[in-house]
Amino acid sequence: MVAGNWKMNGSIELAKQMMDTLNGASLQEVDVLVCPPFPFLSAFEHFDGTIGGQNLSEFNSGAHTGEVSGSMLKALNCDFVLVGHSERRTDNGESDALVAKKVSVALEHGLTPVLCVGEPEAVRESGEFFNHIQRQIDAVIDVIGIANFDNIVVAYEPVWAIGTGKTASPIQAQEVHAFIREYLSKLDTGVAGGLRILYGGSVKAANANELFSQPDVDGGLIGGASLEPQEFLNICLAAKG
């Protein structure tokens, strides 16, 4: 899977360019997902891939100005939604408990949550990053149970590598992905074996092949490079192998 997170970027015109570039490309072996800002979701009506939201409310409706519900995303033909992206955790103060609630709400609405986990630079340097990531995952397991991990995607994003130009080495990425899979396998080997774990952290066409060749890296969550149609296509082709 290759998922593009446009963040607060893009335009209707870029949506058209993206569809012109990706539609008809030979990507049958790759699940291609684009998560544009909410106002541009409807522009992907004729997209050959799938679309998703960048966030959803923990509430189904009500007096929550500026929020978007799971049912609203489904009404716009979303199949996926990002949950717990590091920028939401940092900029909006989303706790592990809130992220877990949002994962549960997404599943209730028939959306596949892309659960984002990862460590900031200080945690990486302290050597406590496995414990940090385990706490993020445990919060979700406590709410939805291990069996429901069959219905989600996990994205590992080393926060220190997002938008910084730094990239975790393929070995560093594999180390964390393997830890996540091994940890979950202690609870359910079948779920762990089938789980898709994406890497997100300054992925580009130039480094995608090496990252995606790691045994526990099942694709990427792409930020800045997902705003360049040809570059994004080249990343998708790298995932194809």
Side-chain angles (χ1 to χ4, degrees):
M1 169 176 265
V2 176
N5 175 19
W6 284 17
K7 307 187 180 185
M8 198 172 69
N9 298 295
S11 63
I12 297 291
E13 181 57 33
L14 180 59
K16 293 176 181 176
Q17 293 171 6
M18 192 66 68
M19 286 188 290
D20 287 344
T21 301
L22 296 177
N23 284 357
S26 181
L27 296 171
Q28 292 82 359
E29 300 90 344
V30 182
D31 289 331
V32 180
L33 168 64
V34 175
C35 299
F38 294 130
F40 303 147
L41 284 166
S42 59
F44 282 87
E45 182 180 2
H46 302 296
F47 183 39
D48 287 349
T50 54
I51 57 173
Q54 296 180 14
N55 178 45
L56 85 165
S57 174
E58 69 271 32
F59 302 106
N60 291 327
S61 63
H64 306 290
T65 301
E67 294 290 338
V68 173
S69 71
S71 60
M72 293 173 184
L73 293 177
K74 287 298 289 185
L76 287 171
N77 298 313
C78 288
D79 292 315
F80 291 81
V81 61
L82 304 182
V83 181
H85 190 280
S86 62
E87 288 155 6
R88 297 289 310 176
R89 293 179 188 261
T90 301
D91 297 350
N92 301 87
E94 293 194 1
S95 65
D96 291 344
L98 178 57
V99 170
K101 172 65 173 173
K102 288 187 174 189
V103 169
S104 177
V105 169
L107 291 171
E108 289 170 9
H109 287 284
L111 293 161
T112 299
V114 179
L115 169 64
C116 301
V117 300
E119 80 284 359
E121 189 167 15
V123 174
R124 162 61 61 165
E125 291 178 350
S126 75
E128 290 294 311
F129 50 95
F130 284 162
N131 290 334
H132 182 86
I133 292 165
Q134 183 177 320
R135 283 194 300 271
Q136 292 176 323
I137 291 173
D138 281 344
V140 178
I141 293 173
D142 288 346
V143 173
I144 68 168
I146 185 61
N148 265 316
F149 270 66
D150 252 351
N151 304 309
I152 76 173
V153 174
V154 171
Y156 166 58
E157 39 168 21
V159 180
W160 47 272
I162 298 173
T164 63
K166 298 178 182 178
T167 308
S169 71
I171 293 172
Q172 287 174 314
Q174 167 60 23
E175 178 185 40
V176 175
H177 283 231
F179 165 75
I180 293 170
R181 201 179 305 281
E182 182 180 350
Y183 178 64
L184 294 175
S185 72
K186 295 174 183 176
L187 303 174
D188 190 311
T189 54
V191 167
L195 179 69
R196 287 188 289 187
I197 309 174
L198 312 183
Y199 171 74
S202 298
V203 178
K204 306 175 181 65
N207 59 24
N209 274 310
E210 193 174 7
L211 285 165
F212 295 166
S213 69
Q214 301 304 309
D216 289 296
V217 177
D218 303 312
L221 176 60
I222 318 301
S226 71
L227 298 169
E228 303 172 33
Q230 187 59 49
E231 178 80 357
F232 189 60
L233 173 60
N234 289 340
I235 294 170
C236 292
L237 292 171
K240 181 179 173 181

